[in-house]
Amino acid sequence: MRVLVVTAVPVERDAVTRAFGGTPETLALPGAELHRSGAFDVLAGGAGPSAAAAATAFALARATPAPAPASASASCGGTPPRPYGLVVSAGIGGGFAPAAPLGSLVVASGIVAADLGAETPDGFLPVTALGFGRDRFTPPPALVREVAAATGAAPGPVLTVSTVTGTADRTAALLAAHPGALAEAMEGFGVAEAADRAGVPVLELRAVSNTVGPRDRAAWRIGDALAALTEAFGKAAPVLEGWKGRNSHEDLEG
Ligand SMILES: O=C(O)c1cccc(C(=O)CC[C@H]2O[C@@H](n3cnc4c(=O)[nH]cnc43)[C@H](O)[C@@H]2O)c1
């Protein structure tokens, strides 16, 4: 099965491909470059949910077979593209203390749009409370469990935010609105929107580079988190590549 992995920045992309060894083949996409290693296509799609959604949608569309004209025979038209069976949003992220310490891994049991909605005098309303859109995607629970077991990642909700949290008040507000949240990052929900529209399941895997809270850039441990990301993909690769899709009753309901 082919797997599309979407990161924000090139150093995260390279941390993922390093897990597979060798030199990836590169393919040009509108606004980005795919790095292909075996079954894995890895793309640095840009920071934030909008860039991530656009990049993911282009990559998925490129791999979706166009409907064959009525007159076409099976033997013409060149090599058909092989569609993706799974999309993974991956990279570094902020961890909520004490559940997700620096250097640890988190796999999303829910990918949550934490700031998509409306602010009111009585607090935040998610977009779903306004009567439209959606505010979360649920990765296949069996796959989340398998990746957690293979990598040691903690399973739990991962928030997608457009602004990196930088105060204690905002941290408390996020945890109040999303009890049990383990981490925040900026792309998961965008990647998931694009994957969902293509009918492809989605996963999010993050290595914790910093603690969510009052901004302290000097305390970020990006190198350690990138190394953890490489190790995680080394361990998760057989699970991701070998995952056969909706293979349990629970997943059919998820
Ligand atoms: O400054 C660097 O050297 C550097 C190297 C690698 C990556 C970065 C990034 O800033 C990556 C941005 C990416 O990381 C996610 N992220 C990380 N921590 C948080 C956080 O506390 N809150 C939200 N997002 C976070 C996010 O997905 C960014 O797109 C820098």
Side-chain angles (χ1 to χ4, degrees), residues 7 9-18 33-35 42-44:
T7 71
V9 296
V11 288
E12 294 173 308
R13 175 199 65 206
D14 297 342
V16 173
T17 57
R18 207 171 293 128
E33 203 177 56
L34 264 186
H35 286 211
V42 191
L43 172 68

Side-chain angles (χ1 to χ4, degrees), residues 147-248:
V147 168
T151 61
V158 175
L159 310 184
T160 300
V161 294
S162 289
T163 303
V164 176
T165 300
T167 66
D169 283 353
R170 181 67 183 146
T171 306
L174 283 173
L175 283 174
H178 308 285
L182 291 184
E184 69 167 38
M186 303 176 81
E187 293 79 30
F189 193 80
V191 171
E193 274 281 11
D196 184 70
R197 286 165 195 229
V200 182
V202 68
L203 191 77
E204 182 170 7
L205 183 58
R206 295 279 165 185
V208 175
S209 54
N210 57 285
T211 298
V212 179
R215 184 165 175 78
D216 179 8
R217 187 64 176 75
W220 285 40
R221 294 289 175 265
I222 290 172
D224 292 348
L226 293 173
L229 193 63
T230 302
E231 199 178 334
F233 269 87
K235 292 173 176 170
V239 175
L240 301 175
E241 196 179 342
W243 192 68
K244 295 285 185 274
R246 289 175 171 262
N247 55 1
S248 77

Side-chain angles (χ1 to χ4, degrees), residues 23-27 34-37 41:
T23 305
E25 178 189 354
T26 59
L27 298 95
L34 264 186
H35 286 211
R36 175 167 294 168
S37 297
D41 282 356

Side-chain angles (χ1 to χ4, degrees), residues 48-125:
S50 310
T56 306
F58 265 120
L60 287 167
R62 180 186 162 280
T64 302
S71 59
S73 80
S75 61
C76 65
T79 309
R82 288 200 297 131
Y84 297 108
L86 178 67
V87 179
V88 184
S89 173
I92 62 173
F96 288 96
L102 294 182
S104 69
L105 298 164
V106 172
V107 58
S109 58
I111 300 173
V112 182
D115 53 15
L116 185 63
E119 200 177 25
T120 79
D122 299 322
F124 174 77
L125 287 180

